Amino acid sequence: MKQSLLLLCFTVSVLTAKTQSVSDSIANLVKYYHDNGLFSGAVLVANGNTIVYKGAVGMANHEWQIPNTTQTRFRLGSVTKQFTAMLILQLVQEGKLNLNGKITDYLTNYRKETGSQVSIHQLLTHSSGIPNYTENESFFPNSVKPYSVIDFVRIYCSGDLEFKPGTQFSYSNSGYFILGAILEKMTGKTYEQLLKQRILEPLGMKQTGYDMHEYIIPGRASGYETKLSGYQHASYLNMGLPYAAGSMYSSVEDLMIWNLALYGNRLMADSLKKKMFDGYLELDKNIKAGYGWFNEQIQTPDPKKVINMIWHNGGINGFMTELARFPEERIFITVLDNASNNTALLFRDIIATVYGLPLEPKKPTLSYAIRKKIESSSIAEATDYFATIPEAEKKQYTLAGAERLINRWGYERMNEQQDLPGALKLFELNTKLFPNSSNVYDSYGEALANAGKYDQAVANYQKSVQLDSSRYRRASVRIAGFSNRPDTIRVMVDGHEMVLYKTGSKGPVIVLEAGGNSDHTSWSRIVPELAKRAIVITYDRPGYRQSITCSQPRTADRVAAELYEALKKAGIKGPYIIGGWSWGGAFARTFAGKYPAETKGLLLVDPATKESYDRMAKEYPDIYTGIFTTRYAGNQAAQDEFDAMLPTMMQASISDQQYKGKIEVLAAGSFKEWSEAEIPLKKIWIDELRSWSGKNKNSRFELVESGHFIQNEKPETVIAALNRLMEVR
């Protein structure tokens, strides 16, 4: 150990003696990554109080051509967690909190059966077992909505424990959101106020704060995503939702102030502060979790020399962050990016430069060359060329960042451009360039499944698991879904192609409409079981996945007519049992009303109705506007349907007069997805559904103890309702 410390000290003296040389090398790295489309942002490297390098590249705002500077404010994402940890430890130091105290000791309304098991320490170290809210399928569709802290904890941070607290590491934003709620409860102040009064103002961090969309923040960078076609604004996110887990912004210069403060006692005594940086549960080889930090030992070519690093990174719509401190040498490195780039590549190269570790010569990046080839020719030509590129020519490029970018381009083509052939070519190229990466086979498998090439999809999922056994659960679920492989049917309707999926070979025909901003996969939990005794048809409306976008307006009348024509052209004869979930309920009702003679039954799963919308708008206009005027920035097809809400709801109501057959209505009875202020609207939703159902003698109403996604949470209930409709003579 003594020898290792001497070697580390020698490194510092070399850095100090050759500061200009190191600074020039870092500047060249920053320029290289920027020139190759892999970085846009700011960098600062310091040795104690001495700045070794600081600089910025790229644009803070592309519309106004405003360049990034070292004072530009970037969103930090999860780097926020170290500030939350500091605030928690300050209250521990003051005797207001106990690290072994449980959630329910401080949040008395939290679930007793789970909250009584989870300690503050476990929340800090990601060992609580509480599910990560960003993995909840309903979070991102609702990520533009405002929530109170208490409502958000109840809805998204109170799930069943995934494992016994303290037994394993599992990254959880939910844990840090709960810590923010505890801070507010124990002080009577907001998290933003605590941050400002206890850390930012005492340290003079004037370029740092709590980011909200509506705030005027001087020097704030816009967040972008790098697409094949160029830069695009990142999707909107209500910044009140990352909260204590990720809502801060800062500059590289202010983060240096933060780093230096961590060496002193201005914020906390050393004995307690040390707990932030100690490693507890291991999350990877040589990496352990601390309180808002990770503790890593970087191996070097010299087996006697280990570099001890305390670090954390962050990622939030349009921004990536890397921040590290090396206490033994007092070196500090931070990299802030506003174009969703892989900042870890530049970050690790800077570490190597500072410590004199081996660094590969910088060559033109393969990803940049592929992009240029696509621009000058096509995806097919570019991928064919680079998939068979001679080894000698391939060696002219570096693969740095290529895997991540190609994968992103593949999803862009598949999900945003509805170009599945192009996506398949990109994903396939990634498997050839990176044959030892588990992720590339997983992505390729997903695209192949979407194309109906199930045997190839299974082979790629299996290859993914061979390379990374942790992917077994995800892959097995996907593969199990292929046991009842749907036939993919493509038909031309009104001049555009629509894609239908047929599962099952005999029995009555069930046709299922997806909800707003969702596709055929929203029914995937129930299709295999239904296909044992029925022919199940799911499909994607125009603009979703592989179904080609068509002109407006996207009313219920038009959607129903398109579906009917598609079924006829596909040779799928009625009578049909038509089902609709959420927004799709209006389309299903309209279909039944337009074609009553060919409709055997109607299933409505927590459907939207004109009556409920009208009453909500009248009784709670402000809350209604906040919930039901969402703009679907990432999905033009969903936006087109939403823009036709008034005629759609009217057409559905008129159609009710035409259809006189059996109806099954399933209403979601749980309030868990609704904030306290929104619960009255949910009650209206249920009341009006019950009333609507009661007006029809052939209708059966059932209140299901479930959230809005009944077909996922209680699939057996939906299947039972469809079975009843199949039994109708």
Side-chain angles (χ1 to χ4, degrees):
M1 176 59 72
K2 183 175 181 181
Q3 187 175 5
S4 297
L5 290 175
L6 286 173
L7 285 167
L8 290 169
C9 290
F10 175 73
T11 301
V12 178
S13 65
V14 170
L15 176 59
T16 305
K18 297 184 177 181
T19 297
Q20 189 58 53
S21 173
V22 172
S23 179
D24 290 345
S25 296
I26 296 172
N28 289 334
L29 282 173
V30 171
K31 183 177 186 303
Y32 164 79
Y33 277 95
H34 176 63
D35 290 348
N36 283 276
L38 298 174
F39 179 62
S40 170
V43 175
L44 187 144
V45 179
N47 189 182
N49 290 313
T50 303
I51 294 178
V52 176
Y53 171 85
K54 71 173 181 177
V57 293
M59 293 292 164
N61 185 283
H62 282 272
E63 287 92 340
W64 291 93
Q65 291 292 289
I66 299 171
N68 283 316
T69 73
T70 57
Q71 295 184 355
T72 299
R73 282 72 154 170
F74 298 79
R75 288 179 175 172
L76 299 181
S78 288
V79 167
T80 301
K81 291 180 173 68
Q82 58 199 244
F83 291 85
T84 300
M86 174 63 79
L87 292 170
I88 287 289
L89 288 177
Q90 285 179 341
L91 293 193
V92 170
Q93 181 171 268
E94 295 166 11
K96 297 176 181 177
L97 289 177
N98 186 321
L99 288 172
N100 294 319
K102 310 301 184 184
I103 294 176
T104 47
D105 293 340
Y106 309 107
L107 299 180
T108 55
N109 291 327
Y110 195 85
R111 287 180 62 184
K112 293 289 188 293
E113 69 274 24
T114 56
S116 61
Q117 299 182 56
V118 178
S119 70
I120 299 292
H121 168 81
Q122 290 159 352
L123 293 173
L124 288 165
T125 56
H126 300 284
S127 59
S128 68
I130 296 172
N132 186 358
Y133 68 78
T134 54
E135 299 296 324
N136 187 315
E137 65 182 2
S138 70
F139 169 68
F140 283 105
N142 291 314
S143 62
V144 300
K145 293 171 57 177
Y147 292 87
S148 70
V149 170
I150 297 303
D151 280 337
F152 195 87
V153 168
R154 177 177 58 81
I155 296 169
Y156 287 109
C157 304
S158 302
D160 296 337
L161 297 181
E162 296 180 329
F163 52 83
K164 183 180 178 181
T167 60
Q168 66 186 69
F169 173 91
S170 181
Y171 195 85
S172 177
N173 288 299
S174 300
Y176 274 78
F177 199 103
I178 292 169
L179 288 170
I182 290 172
L183 286 168
E184 293 194 355
K185 181 67 179 297
M186 300 309 294
T187 63
K189 296 180 179 179
T190 67
Y191 177 82
E192 182 177 4
Q193 290 170 335
L194 291 170
L195 191 64
K196 191 179 298 183
Q197 295 170 9
R198 285 177 169 261
I199 299 178
L200 305 184
E201 289 178 348
L203 297 183
M205 295 177 67
K206 297 180 180 179
Q207 298 168 9
T208 306
Y210 187 86
D211 196 349
M212 290 294 283
H213 175 75
E214 57 268 29
Y215 291 177
I216 302 298
I217 300 175
R220 174 167 54 183
S222 296
Y224 299 95
E225 292 179 353
T226 309
K227 303 289 187 179
L228 266 176
S229 56
Y231 288 113
Q232 171 181 304
H233 276 291
S235 299
Y236 171 78
L237 172 69
N238 180 349
M239 287 301 291
L241 305 189
Y243 183 53
S247 282
M248 288 180 63
Y249 68 86
S250 189
S251 69
V252 293
E253 293 184 5
D254 255 20
L255 290 173
M256 180 178 173
I257 296 174
W258 166 242
N259 170 65
L260 291 173
L262 293 174
Y263 288 110
N265 297 317
R266 294 183 63 186
L267 298 176
M268 187 191 309
D270 283 340
S271 58
L272 194 56
K273 183 172 56 185
K274 183 177 180 294
K275 290 183 175 292
M276 291 180 69
F277 308 125
D278 284 344
Y280 301 97
L281 288 176
E282 188 171 86
L283 62 142
D284 202 352
K285 185 179 180 181
N286 300 318
I287 304 178
K288 293 183 177 180
Y291 291 178
W293 295 86
F294 296 125
N295 184 319
E296 179 178 356
Q297 290 189 323
I298 301 175
Q299 306 301 309
T300 73
D302 183 348
K304 297 179 181 179
K305 179 180 176 181
V306 175
I307 300 171
N308 294 307
M309 177 173 72
I310 310 296
W311 66 279
H312 209 292
N313 56 10
I316 196 166
N317 302 28
F319 295 87
M320 296 294 292
T321 303
E322 296 283 349
L323 183 148
R325 51 202 316 269
F326 304 80
E328 293 169 8
E329 306 84 17
R330 296 219 166 187
I331 289 172
F332 172 69
I333 300 173
T334 186
V335 180
L336 306 180
D337 178 278
N338 69 318
S340 302
N341 287 301
N342 191 350
T343 54
L345 296 171
L346 172 58
F347 173 65
R348 295 285 168 165
D349 276 354
I350 292 173
I351 294 172
T353 300
V354 168
Y355 280 93
L357 302 178
L359 191 65
E360 290 186 5
K362 294 305 172 190
K363 298 178 287 187
T365 61
L366 185 62
S367 58
Y368 190 76
I370 293 171
R371 180 197 290 274
K372 289 299 180 183
K373 184 73 172 176
I374 291 172
E375 290 175 355
S376 64
S377 56
S378 67
I379 290 177
E381 287 185 40
T383 53
D384 286 345
Y385 176 79
F386 283 102
T388 58
I389 187 173
E391 195 62 31
E393 186 176 346
K394 185 177 178 181
K395 290 180 179 179
Q396 297 176 14
Y397 301 102
T398 178
L399 300 181
E403 178 188 341
R404 181 173 181 269
L405 279 174
I406 294 170
N407 207 57
R408 183 194 293 176
W409 296 340
Y411 279 106
E412 175 189 342
R413 300 307 301 181
M414 181 167 67
N415 296 334
E416 298 176 24
Q417 305 298 325
Q418 287 85 49
D419 176 18
L420 186 57
L424 287 167
K425 296 291 288 185
L426 288 163
F427 287 131
E428 182 184 24
L429 174 63
N430 235 4
T431 64
K432 294 180 177 180
L433 294 175
F434 302 96
N436 297 317
S437 168
S438 171
N439 187 59
V440 298
Y441 294 100
D442 183 282
S443 298
Y444 190 29
E446 182 179 345
L448 287 165
N450 286 343
K453 300 178 180 181
Y454 297 105
D455 290 337
Q456 294 179 54
V458 169
N460 276 272
Y461 277 124
Q462 291 173 338
K463 179 68 174 178
S464 176
V465 172
Q466 288 174 10
L467 292 168
D468 181 0
S469 60
S470 69
R471 292 182 179 270
Y472 174 77
R473 182 178 178 184
R474 168 184 164 86
S476 61
V477 169
R478 297 271 183 172
I479 293 172
F482 302 156
S483 59
N484 286 289
R485 300 175 183 175
D487 295 327
T488 301
I489 305 172
R490 300 174 184 275
V491 294
M492 294 298 294
V493 176
D494 195 20
H496 57 87
E497 186 177 69
M498 286 178 60
V499 182
L500 291 79
Y501 302 91
K502 177 184 176 184
T503 310
S505 58
K506 59 183 179 180
V509 178
I510 299 173
V511 181
L512 300 173
E513 275 280 6
N517 199 27
S518 61
D519 55 47
H520 73 279
T521 61
S522 60
W523 295 102
S524 58
R525 284 288 302 275
I526 68 170
V527 169
E529 183 64 29
L530 290 172
K532 294 177 181 179
R533 58 173 302 198
I535 297 171
V536 184
I537 306 297
T538 56
Y539 83 110
D540 294 323
R541 296 191 293 273
Y544 291 88
R545 286 188 176 257
Q546 299 176 58
S547 290
I548 305 303
T549 303
C550 68
S551 61
Q552 300 182 38
R554 303 299 305 149
T555 63
D557 193 66
R558 182 172 180 181
V559 169
E562 288 172 341
L563 174 58
Y564 184 76
E565 184 179 352
L567 291 169
K568 294 302 180 184
K569 287 192 172 182
I572 302 169
K573 299 178 181 179
Y576 310 106
I577 296 172
I578 181 78
W581 166 59
S582 189
W583 188 265
F587 300 146
R589 288 164 60 193
T590 304
F591 184 97
K594 285 176 69 68
Y595 312 105
E598 295 190 64
T599 301
K600 179 181 179 181
L602 174 61
L603 169 71
L604 301 175
V605 181
D606 210 30
T609 65
K610 179 180 183 298
E611 293 78 9
S612 61
Y613 280 176
D614 287 347
R615 188 174 155 197
M616 290 176 190
K618 180 179 179 180
E619 297 181 23
Y620 301 94
D622 293 338
I623 303 175
Y624 170 83
T625 300
I627 299 175
F628 295 104
T629 58
T630 301
R631 307 296 292 183
Y632 294 102
N635 189 338
Q636 187 58 49
Q639 187 59 57
D640 291 343
E641 292 175 356
F642 179 83
D643 288 341
M645 180 173 70
L646 291 178
T648 282
M649 290 300 164
M650 184 62 70
Q651 289 162 7
S653 294
I654 293 172
S655 296
D656 294 341
Q657 302 169 21
Q658 309 302 319
Y659 175 71
K660 304 301 181 183
K662 291 290 185 181
I663 304 173
E664 289 278 339
V665 180
L666 303 178
S670 171
F671 296 155
K672 65 181 181 180
E673 296 164 340
W674 298 69
S675 70
E676 186 174 348
E678 295 167 352
I679 286 176
L681 279 74
K682 175 59 176 176
K683 290 180 178 179
I684 290 174
W685 184 297
I686 295 171
D687 288 346
E688 291 301 327
L689 269 181
R690 193 191 305 273
S691 174
W692 180 90
S693 179
K695 295 174 183 177
N696 190 321
K697 64 179 182 180
N698 293 320
S699 177
R700 177 184 178 276
F701 177 86
E702 181 177 350
L703 188 63
V704 185
E705 187 53 40
S706 168
H708 188 50
F709 293 77
I710 300 176
Q711 68 274 33
N712 290 339
E713 294 183 36
K714 296 291 181 69
E716 66 282 357
T717 303
V718 180
I719 291 170
L722 285 166
N723 282 335
R724 286 190 290 272
L725 290 174
M726 283 190 273
E727 292 166 1
V728 174
R729 299 300 180 188

